[in-house]
Amino acid sequence: MEKKKIGNKYMIVLPILKILLFMYIITGILLLVLTVLLSKMQLSEGMVSIGIVVIYVMSGFFGGLLAGKRMKSRKFLWGMILGACYFLVLAAGSIVFHKGLDMEMSRFATTLVLCVASGMVGGMVS
């Protein structure tokens, strides 16, 4: 009986990790596109910031969409969970590479809300 419980945990964790990997692949591809646009079109700092926010939202949306399709019930909740996990990995990477929080708390909170909300919307749409 104990094996089933452990097996069920893996049946939930593995799809979440796969979806998170997909979200970061999407993020990487979109960041490459933004980099090309930056070099070709001489985008302003404001436009780059907007582009990064759009990338966060698109990645969260597609992650929530996949989570909703995979989990089949409480889709919005799974989308929110994936959006929060996506944000936590982003925040952890930022903390590690910048040796601390290198942004204002309002911007940090806004990014969290955008990631969680876009994941929720993706889950709801699925």
Side-chain angles (χ1 to χ4, degrees), residues 105-119:
M105 286 310 286
S106 63
R107 198 167 165 201
F108 190 79
T110 302
T111 305
L112 170 63
V113 169
L114 285 171
C115 291
V116 172
S118 63

Side-chain angles (χ1 to χ4, degrees), residues 25-46:
I25 289 170
I26 293 293
T27 300
I29 291 168
L30 292 175
L31 284 173
L32 284 174
V33 169
L34 184 62
T35 302
V36 169
L37 289 175
L38 178 62
S39 67
K40 299 287 182 189
M41 301 177 76
Q42 305 297 319
L43 298 175
S44 68
E45 186 176 332

Side-chain angles (χ1 to χ4, degrees), residues 63-74:
L65 190 72
L66 286 175
K69 287 187 182 295
R70 173 78 169 115
M71 300 305 180
K72 306 241 191 304
S73 66
R74 292 187 243 158

Side-chain angles (χ1 to χ4, degrees), residues 41-101:
M41 301 177 76
Q42 305 297 319
L43 298 175
S44 68
E45 186 176 332
M47 292 300 291
V48 172
S49 295
I50 291 170
I52 291 171
V53 168
V54 168
I55 290 169
Y56 290 160
V57 170
M58 288 177 68
S59 296
F61 177 80
F62 286 121
L65 190 72
L66 286 175
K69 287 187 182 295
R70 173 78 169 115
M71 300 305 180
K72 306 241 191 304
S73 66
R74 292 187 243 158
K75 298 175 181 186
F76 74 96
L77 182 61
W78 285 108
M80 289 175 66
I81 290 170
L82 261 295
C85 289
Y86 177 80
F87 172 78
L88 288 174
V89 174
L90 282 176
S94 178
I95 290 169
V96 167
F97 289 116
H98 291 145
K99 295 180 179 43
L101 277 177

